[in-house]
C-alpha cells in the first residue's frame, strides 16, 4: 500500500504557528522557589514567635500582595521524598521514593515533562537531591548531592555526561544560585514562557551563613518556645519511652538530653549543661539558622527587583515554599521528620497579580502532591490522571473548592536513622491529628548492613515502643497534651482511624509489601 501524504498549504502552517505563539504568550511565566528546611515559624508574615525579628521582609512583601496558605503540609517530612512528591504529584510508595536512599526514576520527572508539553522552556537550578539526572528539564545546573554552602560544585546540562558534568563556583550558595537564575533569565529563549524551579540549599543544617551576616541578631535575645523546657503531657511511649526511659535516645535535641546528637554538645562543646546550656545552644542555633534565612530573603529581593525591572513581574506566578518544616526547639527538638506541626507544615505563598489582586489567606488543607497539578492548571493545562494530588486553582482565583479533602495523610519511613525518629503515619484534619508510631524499619534487619546508616542505627538502638498520639489542635495548637487515652475523644479517634485506612488504600500507602509492619499494625490498631 502506498504511503499517503497530506499537502498542507504554507499559509495554513504559518497561521498555526502564529496561533501557538499567541497561546504561549498568553500563559504566565512560573518561578517555583523552594528553600531547604525554611519553616513557617521563621517567616514574619506567618506571625509566629520570631515575627517581631522581621527575618523575611521580601517574602512578607510577596505574601502581602498574594495568597498565603496556613495549612500546607508535606506528606513525608524529609528532603528527598518530599521533592519527589512535588515533582510527581504522587505519594511516596507510588513514586517509589520512600526516604533519603530513594532515587527518582527520570521517567517520573512528570512536572517538567508536562510543562514542556504546554510550551514552556524549563529549568532546574540549585538543590535537586533526587540522585538521578534531572534530564526532563531543558536546562539544569544543580548542586552535587546535598551541596556545599561555600564554593559549591554544580552538575550542569551540556557540560558532559551525568554525573561527571561538574562545574565549580565561588561564593556562598544562596548568592551563587541566585546569580545562576538571573543569568538564565537574561539569556533564556524569550519566544516561550518559562518554568523555573529555583531551589536554595539554605537554611539546611549546619547553617553556614555568608560572612556579611555575622553581626545580624548578634545582640538580640531570640524568643524561645515554652516547650523547649517544659512539656509534661507531651508524647507517648514511642517518643519518650515508658516513664521517660527513652528520652535520651529518641529525637535529637537542643538540650543535652540526647546521647548522640544535641546542640549543647555540637555548638557549645559541652562547656555548659542544664538549663543554661539549653538556653545558650538555642540562641546560637537560631541565630545561625536565621542568618541563613536572611541570606535567602536578601537574594530573593535581587530576583524580584530583576523581574520588576524587566517587566516580568505582572505576568509571572511566583511560588515560595520549603521542602518541609523544621523544629526550632519546640518540644526540645531539632531537624524535621516528625508529624508535629512545626515539621509537617510547609510555608506556601503564591503571588500572581493577574489572578490574586490583594493580600489573602486561606485555611484550605493542601499537601505537596497538590503543587504539580496546580502549577499545570496555572499553565493552562489539565492535571494528568496519574497524579494523585489535586489542583487548588479555584482557591487562587478566589473561588470555592468542591469535594476537597478533610484530612491529609502523612508517613515517615526512616525508622531511628540520623535523628532517631520512630517510623510513623497518621492524618491531620483542620482540628485533630492522629499519629501511629509503628516503630519498625521497612527493610528486614538482615539487609541493613549494605546501608551507610546501619552502624549508627545499631549503635544507639532501634527498638522503640509502638504507640498512638492524638492532639486536639483547636484547643492545643502547640501539641502539648496527648489525648489518645481520653474517653472524650473515643468516637473522633475511631473515625480518624477509618480515615487513615481509607487514605492508605486510596493512595497505595498500605503495607502489603511489608508484612512485618502490617503485623505490628494489626496487633496494635485497637490499643
Amino acid at each position: 500500500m502506498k504511503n499517503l501524504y497530506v499537502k498542507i498549504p504554507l499559509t495554513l502552517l504559518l497561521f498555526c504557528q502564529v496561533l501557538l505563539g499567541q497561546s504561549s504568550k498568553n500563559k504566565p511565566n512560573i518561578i517555583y522557589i523552594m528553600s531547604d528546611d525554611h519553616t513557617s515559624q521563621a517567616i514574619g508574615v506567618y506571625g509566629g514567635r520570631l515575627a517581631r525579628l522581621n527575618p523575611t521582609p521580601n517574602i512578607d512583601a510577596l505574601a502581602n500582595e498574594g495568597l498565603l496558605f496556613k495549612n500546607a503540609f508535606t506528606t513525608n517530612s524529609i528532603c528527598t521524598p518530599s521533592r519527589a512528591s512535588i515533582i510527581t504529584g504522587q505519594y511516596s510508595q507510588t513514586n517509589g521514593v520512600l526516604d533519603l536512599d530513594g532515587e527518582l526514576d527520570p521517567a517520573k520527572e512528570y512536572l517538567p515533562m508536562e510543562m514542556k508539553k504546554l510550551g514552556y522552556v524549563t529549568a532546574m537550578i540549585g538543590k535537586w537531591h533526587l540522585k538521578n539526572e534531572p534530564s526532563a528539564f531543558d536546562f539544569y545546573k544543580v548542586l552535587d548531592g546535598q551541596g556545599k554552602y561555600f564554593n559549591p560544585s554544580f552538575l550542569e546540562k551540556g557540560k558532559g555526561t551525568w554525573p561527571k558534568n561538574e562545574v565549580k563556583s565561588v561564593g556562598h550558595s544562596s548568592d551563587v544560585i541566585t546569580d545562576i537564575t538571573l543569568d538564565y533569565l537574561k539569556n533564556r529563549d524569550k519566544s516561550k514562557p518559562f518554568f523555573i524551579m529555583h531551589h536554595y540549599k539554605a537554611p539546611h543544617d549546619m547553617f553556614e551563613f555568608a560572612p556579611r551576616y555575622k553581626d545580624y541578631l548578634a545582640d538580640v535575645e531570640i524568643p524561645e518556645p515554652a516547650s523547649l523546657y517544659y512539656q509534661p503531657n507531651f508524647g507517648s511511649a514511642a517518643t519518650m519511652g515508658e516513664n521517660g526511659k527513652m528520652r535520651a535516645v529518641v529525637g535529637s535535641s537542643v538540650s543535652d538530653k540526647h546521647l548522640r546528637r544535641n546542640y549543647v554538645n555540637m555548638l557549645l562543646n559541652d562547656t555548659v549543661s542544664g538549663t543554661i546550656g539549653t538556653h545558650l545552644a538555642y540562641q546560637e542555633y537560631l541565630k545561625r539558622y536565621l542568618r541563613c534565612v536572611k541570606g535567602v530573603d536578601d537574594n530573593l529581593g535581587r530576583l524580584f527587583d530583576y523581574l520588576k525591572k524587566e517587566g516580568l513581574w505582572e505576568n509571572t506566578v511566583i511560588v515560595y515554599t520549603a521542602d518541609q518544616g523544621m523544629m526550632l526547639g519546640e518540644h526540645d527538638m531539632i531537624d524535621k521528620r516528625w508529624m508535629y506541626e512545626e515539621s509537617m507544615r510547609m510555608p506556601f505563598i503564591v503571588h500572581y497579580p493577574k489572578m490574586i489582586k490583594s493580600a489573602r489567606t486561606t485555611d484550605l488543607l493542601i499537601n505537596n502532591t497538590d503543587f504539580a497539578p496546580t502549577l499545570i492548571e496555572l499553565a493552562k493545562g489539565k492535571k494528568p490522571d496519574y497524579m494523585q494530588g489535586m489542583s487548588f486553582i479555584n482557591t487562587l482565583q478566589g473561588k470555592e473548592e468542591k469535594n476537597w479533602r478533610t484530612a491529609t495523610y502523612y508517613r515517615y519511613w526512616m525508622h531511628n536513622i540520623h535523628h532517631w525518629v520512630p517510623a510513623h503515619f497518621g492524618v491531620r484534619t483542620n482540628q485533630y491529628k492522629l499519629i501511629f508510631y509503628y516503630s519498625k524499619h521497612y527493610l528486614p534487619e538482615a539487609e541493613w548492613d549494605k546501608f551507610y546508616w546501619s552502624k549508627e542505627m545499631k549503635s544507639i538502638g532501634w527498638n522503640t515502643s509502638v504507640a498512638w498520639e492524638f492532639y486536639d489542635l483547636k484547643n492545643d495548637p502547640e501539641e502539648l497534651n496527648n489525648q489518645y487515652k481520653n474517653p472524650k475523644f473515643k468516637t473522633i479517634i475511631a473515625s480518624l482511624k477509618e480515615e487513615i485506612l481509607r487514605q492508605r488504600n486510596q493512595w497505595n500507602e498500605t503495607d502489603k509489601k511489608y508484612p512485618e509492619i502490617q503485623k505490628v499494625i494489626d496487633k496494635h490498631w485497637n490499643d
Side-chain angles (χ1 to χ4, degrees):
M1 184 177 180
K2 293 182 179 180
N3 292 328
L4 297 176
Y5 295 89
V6 178
K7 194 171 183 179
I8 301 174
L10 179 61
T11 53
L12 182 58
L13 281 173
L14 291 173
F15 179 68
C16 290
Q17 289 175 354
V18 169
L19 284 178
L20 286 171
Q22 289 176 344
S23 176
S24 292
K25 287 179 182 178
N26 290 331
K27 293 181 178 181
N29 302 306
I30 300 174
I31 301 181
Y32 178 92
I33 304 168
M34 188 160 72
S35 297
D36 195 316
D37 297 346
H38 190 189
T39 187
S40 59
Q41 306 99 277
I43 296 176
V45 75
Y46 273 92
R49 70 178 183 278
L50 304 176
R52 69 174 177 81
L53 302 177
N54 191 29
T56 52
N58 289 302
I59 296 172
D60 294 354
L62 191 77
N64 287 330
E65 297 175 355
L67 179 58
L68 180 145
F69 286 77
K70 295 180 180 179
N71 289 321
F73 297 98
T74 182
T75 53
N76 188 344
S77 184
I78 190 69
C79 300
T80 303
S82 177
R83 291 164 190 270
S85 287
I86 290 164
I87 290 288
T88 63
Q90 297 173 338
Y91 290 80
S92 295
Q93 284 204 68
T94 298
N95 65 44
V97 181
L98 305 183
D99 55 25
L100 290 178
D101 294 309
E103 299 182 6
L104 182 64
D105 184 341
K108 293 183 177 181
E109 292 172 16
Y110 296 135
L111 180 54
M113 290 175 181
E114 294 295 334
M115 299 303 282
K116 286 172 72 172
K117 290 178 188 175
L118 295 168
Y120 280 73
V121 60
T122 60
M124 172 63 229
I125 296 166
K127 184 173 177 179
W128 172 239
H129 212 240
L130 287 168
K131 305 291 195 300
N132 292 321
E133 181 181 18
S135 54
F137 291 88
D138 296 310
F139 171 80
Y140 67 76
K141 193 168 183 178
V142 296
L143 291 170
D144 185 3
Q146 180 62 251
K148 297 186 297 183
Y149 266 111
F150 289 96
N151 304 329
S153 294
F154 292 84
L155 304 178
E156 182 175 352
K157 192 163 189 172
K159 299 295 184 179
T161 304
W162 178 277
K164 296 182 180 180
N165 51 341
E166 182 180 7
V167 294
K168 305 287 186 180
S169 73
V170 176
H172 189 272
S173 66
S174 296
D175 301 334
V176 174
I177 289 166
T178 306
D179 289 342
I180 295 169
T181 294
L182 290 172
D183 184 67
Y184 175 81
L185 284 166
K186 291 171 186 175
N187 297 288
R188 74 188 188 277
D189 178 356
K190 295 182 175 62
S191 69
K192 297 179 179 180
F194 57 79
F195 171 65
I196 302 173
M197 300 195 84
H198 172 86
H199 293 184
Y200 290 108
K201 171 182 173 63
H204 188 274
D205 194 13
M206 282 297 295
F207 322 122
E208 297 176 40
F209 50 87
R212 64 183 180 273
Y213 297 111
K214 66 180 177 64
D215 296 325
Y216 175 62
L217 300 174
D219 300 321
V220 174
E221 185 81 1
I222 309 297
E224 299 176 346
S227 62
L228 174 61
Y229 300 98
Y230 187 69
Q231 44 188 326
N233 301 314
F234 164 75
S236 62
T239 54
M240 298 291 182
E242 299 292 344
N243 300 316
K245 290 181 179 179
M246 296 292 287
R247 290 185 74 253
V249 294
V250 176
S252 49
S253 59
V254 178
S255 77
D256 55 7
K257 80 173 179 68
H258 196 271
L259 288 173
R260 292 299 179 86
R261 191 176 178 93
N262 68 75
Y263 278 159
V264 170
N265 173 257
M266 296 170 67
L267 302 180
L268 306 178
N269 298 315
D270 280 338
T271 54
V272 290
S273 62
T275 301
I276 293 174
T278 301
H279 168 71
L280 294 175
Y282 174 85
Q283 294 296 316
E284 182 66 20
Y285 168 28
L286 266 291
K287 288 177 183 181
R288 292 189 188 188
Y289 179 88
L290 291 172
R291 287 165 186 161
C292 287
V293 167
K294 179 66 172 171
V296 167
D297 192 76
D298 285 350
N299 274 290
L300 289 179
R302 286 205 295 144
L303 176 59
F304 298 163
D305 286 346
Y306 175 83
L307 295 173
K308 292 172 183 175
K309 179 183 174 183
E310 296 299 314
L312 297 169
W313 186 251
E314 294 295 317
N315 194 42
T316 299
V317 176
I318 301 174
V319 172
Y320 185 79
T321 186
D323 48 354
Q324 62 261 322
M326 186 77 170
M327 306 300 293
L328 298 183
E330 298 87 1
H331 305 298
D332 190 16
M333 290 178 179
I334 61 178
D335 199 67
K336 53 266 186 177
R337 293 168 167 82
W338 298 98
M339 197 179 161
Y340 302 126
E341 289 293 278
E342 297 84 3
S343 170
M344 183 186 181
R345 175 178 279 114
M346 309 169 79
F348 198 84
I349 295 164
V350 182
H351 182 275
Y352 183 30
K354 288 191 173 182
M355 184 176 290
I356 304 166
K357 301 299 183 183
S358 60
R360 289 192 281 124
T361 62
T362 177
D363 292 321
L364 188 74
L365 195 62
I366 66 172
N367 68 45
N368 55 349
T369 67
D370 301 328
F371 299 173
T374 304
L375 293 172
I376 289 167
E377 288 207 5
L378 281 167
K380 315 297 185 185
K382 182 180 179 182
K383 185 198 96 166
D385 290 340
Y386 60 76
M387 287 190 175
Q388 295 171 314
M390 302 183 289
S391 168
F392 47 83
I393 195 168
N394 284 339
T395 300
L396 298 180
Q397 295 170 336
K399 303 174 185 177
E400 186 178 349
E401 301 290 352
K402 296 180 180 178
N403 302 317
W404 198 258
R405 70 170 63 84
T406 57
T408 183
Y409 180 79
Y410 178 92
R411 183 165 187 178
Y412 175 72
W413 293 78
M414 296 181 68
H415 179 59
N416 281 358
I417 297 169
H418 303 320
H419 290 266
W420 294 277
V421 176
H424 58 285
F425 59 70
V427 291
R428 185 206 191 273
T429 71
N430 280 324
Q431 183 167 350
Y432 303 111
K433 182 181 294 181
L434 182 63
I435 310 170
F436 179 60
Y437 290 94
Y438 60 90
S439 300
K440 192 174 186 63
H441 200 282
Y442 66 94
L443 290 173
E445 189 172 354
E447 295 184 31
W448 291 0
D449 287 340
K450 63 184 178 183
F451 292 94
Y452 67 97
W453 41 258
S454 178
K455 290 183 180 178
E456 178 185 61
M457 188 174 178
K458 289 178 179 178
S459 68
I460 199 166
W462 55 272
N463 273 323
T464 50
S465 298
V466 176
W468 290 90
E469 293 182 15
F470 170 83
Y471 296 96
D472 177 358
L473 301 172
K474 181 179 180 180
N475 297 300
D476 180 24
E478 295 179 356
E479 298 171 302
L480 298 176
N481 299 291
N482 178 11
Q483 301 273 12
Y484 183 73
K485 297 294 185 181
N486 188 339
K488 171 184 172 182
F489 296 106
K490 183 177 180 180
T491 301
I492 292 168
I493 289 170
S495 68
L496 291 177
K497 286 185 179 182
E498 290 178 5
E499 181 66 17
I500 289 174
L501 293 175
R502 187 189 69 79
Q503 291 207 33
R504 277 165 61 79
N505 281 297
Q506 182 178 11
W507 308 129
N508 185 38
E509 286 288 321
T510 64
D511 283 283
K512 294 176 182 176
K513 295 180 182 177
Y514 311 106
E516 293 303 311
I517 293 177
Q518 188 60 51
K519 287 180 183 177
V520 175
I521 295 169
D522 292 341
K523 181 179 178 180
H524 295 277
W525 193 253
N526 295 314
D527 283 1

